[in-house]
Amino acid sequence: MEDRAVALAEYIIDQGATVRAAAAKFGLSKSTVHKDISERLASFRPGLYAQVKEVLDVNKAQRHLRGGAATRRKYKGE
C-alpha cells in the first residue's frame, strides 16, 4: 500500500491530476486514492504529502470553474 500511495502521489504531482483522474489511471476508487494520499502518505512521507496537497488544493480551488465549463458545454450541445 505504501508503494501505491507513493506512485499515486508522484502521478498527481507530475500531471497536476485530480483525485478522480488518478483513480481512473490506476483503476482504483476515489475513496481509495484519497485515503492513500491523505492518511497513509501523510504518515510515512510527509514531504511528498505536502507537495501533493499543494496540487490538490489548487484543483479544489478550480473545481467550481471546471464544473461551470462542463455545464456550459452540455447545454450548448458541444
Side-chain angles (χ1 to χ4, degrees):
M1 284 193 286
E2 291 179 0
D3 292 337
R4 181 178 70 198
V6 169
L8 285 165
E10 289 173 348
Y11 176 76
I12 290 171
I13 292 167
D14 291 343
Q15 301 298 316
T18 61
V19 169
R20 184 180 298 244
K25 171 76 175 169
F26 286 83
L28 302 169
S29 71
K30 292 184 304 182
S31 299
T32 301
V33 172
H34 192 272
K35 185 171 183 101
D36 281 355
I37 297 300
S38 64
E39 294 179 16
R40 294 186 179 116
L41 188 66
S43 68
F44 67 90
R45 295 280 296 271
L48 188 59
Y49 169 73
Q51 290 177 321
V52 134
K53 181 137 176 57
E54 286 180 28
V55 173
L56 295 179
D57 287 345
V58 168
N59 288 341
K60 187 175 181 181
Q62 295 174 348
R63 180 172 53 194
H64 69 284
L65 298 173
R66 287 191 305 271
T71 302
R72 191 169 20 264
R73 284 192 307 272
K74 175 182 176 181
Y75 288 106
K76 282 190 171 184
E78 296 176 6

